[in-house]
Amino acid sequence: MTQYRFDGFVLDEARRELLGHDGAVALEPRAFDTLVLLIENRNRVVSKDELIGEVWGGRIVSDAALASQIKAVRRAVGDDGKAQRVIKTVHGHGFRFVAALEVEVPQQPATAAPKAPETAAPVAPPPPRRPSIAVLPFQVIGDPDDHTALADAFAHDLIVELSRLRYIFVIARASSFQLRDADPQSGDVSRRLGARYGVSGSLERMGSRVSVVWQLWDTADGRVVWAERWQAPLDRVHELRADTTAKIVAALSLRISANAAERARLTPPENLDAWERYHLGLHHLFRFNRAGIDQGWALFQEAIAQDPGFARAHAGLSLAQFMRGFLGYADNPEAQRDATRRSAERSLELDPLDPFAHFVFGRSMFLYGDLDGGKVWLDRAVELSPNYAKAIYSRGWFDAVSGNCAASLARVDEAMALSPLDPFSYAFIGTRALAHMGDGNYPEAILWAERAARAPGAHEMISLIAAACHALNDDLTASHRWIEIARTRNPALTQAQFYKSFPFRDEKMRQLISIGLARAGLP
């Protein structure tokens, strides 16, 4: 771990010690974390919101509590609010570490303040520990007196809903709204707010209609990551407001993760941090093949080794383990099932409010055949993040396997509307086919099953659903063709293997599929 030397002190991250001329300096954990955060981001001002988000985990704390920690840090390093030799207060914005700094990675743990090295090797400051985002107030095109409040409401709704996502730090409205006219190319959002991403938009009235345009940009270079536009009649503007907020929040998770993975692929492996390994792991995992799952599994393990307290890395590992078990890649299915649950439990222990942790725990219950237990955890994931498309779809999947096809269709339709480009979209579509089949609507089931089976990453079990749908619709030629397609990927497929992946709780649903698969020629 890195050691930082400044003003006669050595901060040792590995041992969580601040060393002075006379040995260790007393510094309580939260003050220590405050000092580390300021040092790591010494090239910029760290806002009060970011300090609270990183050091207090986003909990509501008073200005007095924050001031108390800054005072404790200054006292520990022989600084004060008047001299500000080490930590400078930038009024209205936050704090910055300003002392001259030397950085080195020690060969062995230090027991006392070591001598200063002959030459200091400056290193670039690491990125924030988790992605941060600032939502700027939307601009009004036309007469600002008519719709400024409405434009601000769009941005405010986004801030509230994004705050439900545990993987990203959201700059508070009080800070981000100070940059009402910020230009993505100016660097203000990064420099003044410390945000990794920015969201901006505009609202325009066109006769009896209103148009909303928004964009997500990377503050490092001002590059637009994604942009979208919606329109609606003026009298339905509040419906548009709710709809666009839901879709933007769902899309941001995908776009930010994809952008992080793209950057990670261009970074030498030895320089990747835990967050970059996590996002790159998701990228590989969502290829939905054995090689991709194994690569994702390895990257999640590396992220955990770098940061054992990284809840999302444990959740990613659980999802990789689930895929191994669900797709039959595990040599020991029972051991894989238990490992899936243990990783999910660890993620929940580390961050009990993360919807992703609840999602993977609910999915782990599927491997045990405990659909009722899994539904509870998926419902909690949606309560924590109402626009979480994967959790909504998974709840619909559990409904389909339980024989509740109407509820399944409603949930899958909602997930597809929220995230039409989701990596799990083939599974969304396949679940819709399963629900239509359970309702006896075989033509519609065939349409969706074939779409799912032809989608990139779809596994052979989806081809079996297509085969069963055709057989139930009395088209044995088409059903046999889909069986052959499935067997080109797994020649030993049987109904027993299908039911291991789909543990149907509803006996009528199970009998219906058994009839279809038997007609299609699957033993």
Tab-separated table of all heavy atoms in Angstrom, residues 300-339:
chain	number	residue	atom	x	y	z
A	300	PHE	N	-13.587	-10.357	-10.642
A	300	PHE	CA	-14.244	-10.072	-9.365
A	300	PHE	C	-13.365	-10.533	-8.200
A	300	PHE	O	-13.274	-9.852	-7.177
A	300	PHE	CB	-15.608	-10.752	-9.301
A	300	PHE	CG	-16.598	-10.239	-10.317
A	300	PHE	CD1	-17.383	-11.113	-11.046
A	300	PHE	CD2	-16.740	-8.880	-10.547
A	300	PHE	CE1	-18.286	-10.658	-11.991
A	300	PHE	CE2	-17.641	-8.403	-11.492
A	300	PHE	CZ	-18.417	-9.297	-12.217
A	301	GLN	N	-12.726	-11.687	-8.360
A	301	GLN	CA	-11.812	-12.165	-7.320
A	301	GLN	C	-10.660	-11.190	-7.119
A	301	GLN	O	-10.249	-10.908	-5.980
A	301	GLN	CB	-11.260	-13.548	-7.718
A	301	GLN	CG	-12.278	-14.667	-7.668
A	301	GLN	CD	-12.429	-15.238	-6.262
A	301	GLN	OE1	-12.447	-14.509	-5.271
A	301	GLN	NE2	-12.539	-16.552	-6.167
A	302	GLU	N	-10.121	-10.661	-8.222
A	302	GLU	CA	-9.015	-9.709	-8.121
A	302	GLU	C	-9.480	-8.415	-7.449
A	302	GLU	O	-8.745	-7.822	-6.650
A	302	GLU	CB	-8.461	-9.410	-9.518
A	302	GLU	CG	-7.748	-10.600	-10.154
A	302	GLU	CD	-7.429	-10.361	-11.623
A	302	GLU	OE1	-7.651	-9.221	-12.099
A	302	GLU	OE2	-6.977	-11.304	-12.301
A	303	ALA	N	-10.694	-7.968	-7.777
A	303	ALA	CA	-11.223	-6.757	-7.157
A	303	ALA	C	-11.380	-6.946	-5.649
A	303	ALA	O	-11.078	-6.038	-4.866
A	303	ALA	CB	-12.562	-6.388	-7.796
A	304	ILE	N	-11.836	-8.120	-5.242
A	304	ILE	CA	-12.002	-8.410	-3.811
A	304	ILE	C	-10.648	-8.458	-3.120
A	304	ILE	O	-10.496	-7.982	-1.983
A	304	ILE	CB	-12.774	-9.729	-3.627
A	304	ILE	CG1	-14.232	-9.552	-4.080
A	304	ILE	CG2	-12.717	-10.196	-2.175
A	304	ILE	CD1	-15.004	-10.847	-4.189
A	305	ALA	N	-9.644	-9.010	-3.805
A	305	ALA	CA	-8.304	-9.058	-3.215
A	305	ALA	C	-7.754	-7.647	-3.006
A	305	ALA	O	-7.088	-7.368	-2.015
A	305	ALA	CB	-7.367	-9.861	-4.121
A	306	GLN	N	-8.069	-6.736	-3.944
A	306	GLN	CA	-7.629	-5.349	-3.804
A	306	GLN	C	-8.400	-4.614	-2.723
A	306	GLN	O	-7.847	-3.792	-1.995
A	306	GLN	CB	-7.805	-4.601	-5.133
A	306	GLN	CG	-6.719	-4.857	-6.157
A	306	GLN	CD	-6.916	-4.001	-7.386
A	306	GLN	OE1	-7.805	-4.253	-8.184
A	306	GLN	NE2	-6.097	-2.981	-7.535
A	307	ASP	N	-9.699	-4.889	-2.636
A	307	ASP	CA	-10.562	-4.180	-1.687
A	307	ASP	C	-11.560	-5.175	-1.101
A	307	ASP	O	-12.668	-5.329	-1.615
A	307	ASP	CB	-11.286	-3.041	-2.402
A	307	ASP	CG	-12.107	-2.174	-1.447
A	307	ASP	OD1	-12.201	-2.528	-0.253
A	307	ASP	OD2	-12.646	-1.151	-1.892
A	308	PRO	N	-11.202	-5.874	-0.027
A	308	PRO	CA	-12.081	-6.909	0.545
A	308	PRO	C	-13.445	-6.383	0.980
A	308	PRO	O	-14.396	-7.154	1.083
A	308	PRO	CB	-11.279	-7.427	1.745
A	308	PRO	CG	-9.858	-7.091	1.431
A	308	PRO	CD	-9.911	-5.798	0.678
A	309	GLY	N	-13.548	-5.079	1.230
A	309	GLY	CA	-14.815	-4.509	1.673
A	309	GLY	C	-15.675	-3.980	0.551
A	309	GLY	O	-16.682	-3.304	0.809
A	310	PHE	N	-15.340	-4.292	-0.684
A	310	PHE	CA	-16.051	-3.807	-1.856
A	310	PHE	C	-17.281	-4.696	-2.084
A	310	PHE	O	-17.204	-5.763	-2.664
A	310	PHE	CB	-15.103	-3.835	-3.044
A	310	PHE	CG	-15.647	-3.251	-4.321
A	310	PHE	CD1	-16.877	-2.592	-4.373
A	310	PHE	CD2	-14.920	-3.351	-5.485
A	310	PHE	CE1	-17.353	-2.060	-5.549
A	310	PHE	CE2	-15.382	-2.833	-6.679
A	310	PHE	CZ	-16.596	-2.186	-6.713
A	311	ALA	N	-18.448	-4.220	-1.630
A	311	ALA	CA	-19.660	-5.038	-1.649
A	311	ALA	C	-20.039	-5.478	-3.060
A	311	ALA	O	-20.438	-6.622	-3.290
A	311	ALA	CB	-20.819	-4.274	-1.005
A	312	ARG	N	-19.930	-4.593	-4.023
A	312	ARG	CA	-20.359	-4.918	-5.386
A	312	ARG	C	-19.479	-5.985	-6.034
A	312	ARG	O	-19.944	-6.739	-6.880
A	312	ARG	CB	-20.391	-3.659	-6.234
A	312	ARG	CG	-21.584	-2.774	-5.911
A	312	ARG	CD	-22.346	-2.399	-7.142
A	312	ARG	NE	-23.726	-2.065	-6.818
A	312	ARG	CZ	-24.631	-1.761	-7.729
A	312	ARG	NH1	-24.317	-1.758	-9.005
A	312	ARG	NH2	-25.873	-1.476	-7.374
A	313	ALA	N	-18.211	-6.039	-5.667
A	313	ALA	CA	-17.356	-7.095	-6.207
A	313	ALA	C	-17.823	-8.460	-5.714
A	313	ALA	O	-17.837	-9.441	-6.480
A	313	ALA	CB	-15.908	-6.852	-5.818
A	314	HIS	N	-18.233	-8.550	-4.456
A	314	HIS	CA	-18.775	-9.810	-3.929
A	314	HIS	C	-20.092	-10.151	-4.627
A	314	HIS	O	-20.360	-11.323	-4.921
A	314	HIS	CB	-18.991	-9.691	-2.420
A	314	HIS	CG	-17.726	-9.642	-1.622
A	314	HIS	ND1	-17.034	-10.777	-1.253
A	314	HIS	CD2	-17.023	-8.586	-1.142
A	314	HIS	CE1	-15.955	-10.430	-0.554
A	314	HIS	NE2	-15.928	-9.107	-0.477
A	315	ALA	N	-20.917	-9.136	-4.901
A	315	ALA	CA	-22.176	-9.385	-5.614
A	315	ALA	C	-21.908	-9.857	-7.038
A	315	ALA	O	-22.584	-10.761	-7.537
A	315	ALA	CB	-23.023	-8.116	-5.623
A	316	GLY	N	-20.927	-9.240	-7.714
A	316	GLY	CA	-20.567	-9.683	-9.055
A	316	GLY	C	-20.080	-11.116	-9.060
A	316	GLY	O	-20.423	-11.909	-9.954
A	317	LEU	N	-19.279	-11.467	-8.042
A	317	LEU	CA	-18.798	-12.846	-7.931
A	317	LEU	C	-19.967	-13.806	-7.747
A	317	LEU	O	-20.003	-14.896	-8.340
A	317	LEU	CB	-17.824	-12.956	-6.760
A	317	LEU	CG	-17.196	-14.333	-6.528
A	317	LEU	CD1	-16.399	-14.782	-7.749
A	317	LEU	CD2	-16.309	-14.314	-5.285
A	318	SER	N	-20.958	-13.415	-6.943
A	318	SER	CA	-22.136	-14.259	-6.746
A	318	SER	C	-22.877	-14.474	-8.056
A	318	SER	O	-23.330	-15.587	-8.357
A	318	SER	CB	-23.074	-13.634	-5.708
A	318	SER	OG	-24.250	-14.398	-5.554
A	319	LEU	N	-23.006	-13.405	-8.854
A	319	LEU	CA	-23.706	-13.537	-10.129
A	319	LEU	C	-22.941	-14.461	-11.080
A	319	LEU	O	-23.552	-15.277	-11.782
A	319	LEU	CB	-23.893	-12.158	-10.759
A	319	LEU	CG	-24.732	-12.105	-12.038
A	319	LEU	CD1	-26.112	-12.713	-11.823
A	319	LEU	CD2	-24.865	-10.666	-12.536
A	320	ALA	N	-21.610	-14.357	-11.096
A	320	ALA	CA	-20.809	-15.257	-11.930
A	320	ALA	C	-20.972	-16.705	-11.476
A	320	ALA	O	-21.092	-17.631	-12.294
A	320	ALA	CB	-19.335	-14.841	-11.878
A	321	GLN	N	-20.990	-16.897	-10.168
A	321	GLN	CA	-21.170	-18.246	-9.636
A	321	GLN	C	-22.559	-18.780	-9.954
A	321	GLN	O	-22.730	-19.971	-10.252
A	321	GLN	CB	-20.911	-18.232	-8.120
A	321	GLN	CG	-19.455	-17.978	-7.768
A	321	GLN	CD	-19.266	-17.559	-6.320
A	321	GLN	OE1	-20.145	-16.946	-5.715
A	321	GLN	NE2	-18.114	-17.879	-5.749
A	322	PHE	N	-23.561	-17.900	-9.901
A	322	PHE	CA	-24.916	-18.306	-10.273
A	322	PHE	C	-24.948	-18.785	-11.725
A	322	PHE	O	-25.549	-19.816	-12.038
A	322	PHE	CB	-25.887	-17.141	-10.084
A	322	PHE	CG	-27.262	-17.415	-10.637
A	322	PHE	CD1	-28.211	-18.061	-9.867
A	322	PHE	CD2	-27.594	-17.052	-11.935
A	322	PHE	CE1	-29.479	-18.344	-10.378
A	322	PHE	CE2	-28.851	-17.322	-12.459
A	322	PHE	CZ	-29.790	-17.967	-11.678
A	323	MET	N	-24.334	-18.017	-12.607
A	323	MET	CA	-24.339	-18.394	-14.022
A	323	MET	C	-23.645	-19.740	-14.241
A	323	MET	O	-24.095	-20.554	-15.048
A	323	MET	CB	-23.667	-17.303	-14.856
A	323	MET	CG	-24.478	-16.025	-14.971
A	323	MET	SD	-23.669	-14.814	-16.040
A	323	MET	CE	-24.902	-13.516	-16.064
A	324	ARG	N	-22.565	-19.963	-13.528
A	324	ARG	CA	-21.896	-21.264	-13.630
A	324	ARG	C	-22.840	-22.392	-13.220
A	324	ARG	O	-22.915	-23.425	-13.883
A	324	ARG	CB	-20.657	-21.286	-12.728
A	324	ARG	CG	-19.434	-20.603	-13.296
A	324	ARG	CD	-18.270	-20.721	-12.320
A	324	ARG	NE	-16.997	-20.402	-12.933
A	324	ARG	CZ	-15.835	-20.473	-12.305
A	324	ARG	NH1	-15.789	-20.860	-11.033
A	324	ARG	NH2	-14.704	-20.168	-12.922
A	325	GLY	N	-23.548	-22.178	-12.126
A	325	GLY	CA	-24.461	-23.217	-11.655
A	325	GLY	C	-25.665	-23.372	-12.551
A	325	GLY	O	-26.056	-24.491	-12.911
A	326	PHE	N	-26.277	-22.262	-12.981
A	326	PHE	CA	-27.491	-22.296	-13.799
A	326	PHE	C	-27.236	-22.919	-15.162
A	326	PHE	O	-28.058	-23.680	-15.689
A	326	PHE	CB	-28.033	-20.876	-13.960
A	326	PHE	CG	-29.251	-20.784	-14.826
A	326	PHE	CD1	-30.499	-21.163	-14.347
A	326	PHE	CD2	-29.166	-20.333	-16.129
A	326	PHE	CE1	-31.632	-21.088	-15.145
A	326	PHE	CE2	-30.288	-20.252	-16.940
A	326	PHE	CZ	-31.522	-20.628	-16.443
A	327	LEU	N	-26.086	-22.605	-15.757
A	327	LEU	CA	-25.777	-23.091	-17.098
A	327	LEU	C	-25.075	-24.444	-17.098
A	327	LEU	O	-24.712	-24.955	-18.161
A	327	LEU	CB	-24.915	-22.064	-17.839
A	327	LEU	CG	-25.604	-20.714	-18.097
A	327	LEU	CD1	-24.626	-19.728	-18.714
A	327	LEU	CD2	-26.820	-20.899	-19.007
A	328	GLY	N	-24.887	-25.037	-15.923
A	328	GLY	CA	-24.315	-26.380	-15.851
A	328	GLY	C	-22.818	-26.438	-16.056
A	328	GLY	O	-22.280	-27.470	-16.460
A	329	TYR	N	-22.112	-25.333	-15.772
A	329	TYR	CA	-20.663	-25.310	-15.956
A	329	TYR	C	-19.909	-25.770	-14.712
A	329	TYR	O	-18.691	-25.898	-14.741
A	329	TYR	CB	-20.197	-23.896	-16.307
A	329	TYR	CG	-20.727	-23.358	-17.610
A	329	TYR	CD1	-20.834	-21.983	-17.827
A	329	TYR	CD2	-21.110	-24.210	-18.638
A	329	TYR	CE1	-21.322	-21.478	-19.026
A	329	TYR	CE2	-21.606	-23.713	-19.841
A	329	TYR	CZ	-21.709	-22.350	-20.017
A	329	TYR	OH	-22.184	-21.850	-21.211
A	330	ALA	N	-20.610	-25.989	-13.623
A	330	ALA	CA	-19.947	-26.339	-12.366
A	330	ALA	C	-19.717	-27.837	-12.266
A	330	ALA	O	-20.616	-28.635	-12.565
A	330	ALA	CB	-20.786	-25.864	-11.180
A	331	ASP	N	-18.513	-28.229	-11.847
A	331	ASP	CA	-18.217	-29.648	-11.635
A	331	ASP	C	-18.964	-30.183	-10.420
A	331	ASP	O	-19.352	-31.353	-10.383
A	331	ASP	CB	-16.703	-29.848	-11.446
A	331	ASP	CG	-15.912	-29.500	-12.703
A	331	ASP	OD1	-16.463	-29.670	-13.815
A	331	ASP	OD2	-14.765	-29.046	-12.573
A	332	ASN	N	-19.155	-29.324	-9.442
A	332	ASN	CA	-19.868	-29.701	-8.217
A	332	ASN	C	-21.019	-28.718	-8.021
A	332	ASN	O	-20.842	-27.660	-7.404
A	332	ASN	CB	-18.907	-29.676	-7.020
A	332	ASN	CG	-19.559	-30.200	-5.752
A	332	ASN	OD1	-20.776	-30.109	-5.564
A	332	ASN	ND2	-18.749	-30.750	-4.858
A	333	PRO	N	-22.214	-29.007	-8.549
A	333	PRO	CA	-23.324	-28.051	-8.499
A	333	PRO	C	-23.697	-27.612	-7.087
A	333	PRO	O	-24.026	-26.437	-6.863
A	333	PRO	CB	-24.474	-28.810	-9.173
A	333	PRO	CG	-23.803	-29.821	-10.045
A	333	PRO	CD	-22.565	-30.222	-9.302
A	334	GLU	N	-23.661	-28.558	-6.130
A	334	GLU	CA	-24.038	-28.196	-4.759
A	334	GLU	C	-23.051	-27.200	-4.165
A	334	GLU	O	-23.443	-26.219	-3.522
A	334	GLU	CB	-24.112	-29.448	-3.880
A	334	GLU	CG	-25.297	-30.347	-4.173
A	334	GLU	CD	-25.130	-31.142	-5.475
A	334	GLU	OE1	-23.967	-31.298	-5.914
A	334	GLU	OE2	-26.149	-31.575	-6.035
A	335	ALA	N	-21.753	-27.455	-4.392
A	335	ALA	CA	-20.736	-26.531	-3.880
A	335	ALA	C	-20.859	-25.170	-4.562
A	335	ALA	O	-20.698	-24.125	-3.919
A	335	ALA	CB	-19.343	-27.108	-4.091
A	336	GLN	N	-21.148	-25.165	-5.870
A	336	GLN	CA	-21.310	-23.912	-6.600
A	336	GLN	C	-22.518	-23.135	-6.080
A	336	GLN	O	-22.474	-21.914	-5.917
A	336	GLN	CB	-21.486	-24.196	-8.084
A	336	GLN	CG	-21.463	-22.968	-8.964
A	336	GLN	CD	-20.071	-22.364	-9.051
A	336	GLN	OE1	-19.187	-22.898	-9.681
A	336	GLN	NE2	-19.873	-21.232	-8.404
A	337	ARG	N	-23.595	-23.850	-5.800
A	337	ARG	CA	-24.800	-23.226	-5.262
A	337	ARG	C	-24.511	-22.553	-3.922
A	337	ARG	O	-24.904	-21.403	-3.689
A	337	ARG	CB	-25.878	-24.292	-5.099
A	337	ARG	CG	-27.171	-23.832	-4.472
A	337	ARG	CD	-28.008	-25.030	-4.078
A	337	ARG	NE	-27.357	-25.815	-3.029
A	337	ARG	CZ	-27.768	-27.018	-2.638
A	337	ARG	NH1	-28.810	-27.590	-3.213
A	337	ARG	NH2	-27.136	-27.656	-1.666
A	338	ASP	N	-23.783	-23.261	-3.049
A	338	ASP	CA	-23.466	-22.699	-1.733
A	338	ASP	C	-22.523	-21.506	-1.847
A	338	ASP	O	-22.658	-20.528	-1.101
A	338	ASP	CB	-22.851	-23.781	-0.844
A	338	ASP	CG	-23.837	-24.898	-0.512
A	338	ASP	OD1	-25.055	-24.678	-0.665
A	338	ASP	OD2	-23.384	-25.987	-0.118
A	339	ALA	N	-21.570	-21.578	-2.786
A	339	ALA	CA	-20.644	-20.461	-2.982
A	339	ALA	C	-21.396	-19.229	-3.487
A	339	ALA	O	-21.084	-18.095	-3.105
A	339	ALA	CB	-19.544	-20.856	-3.967
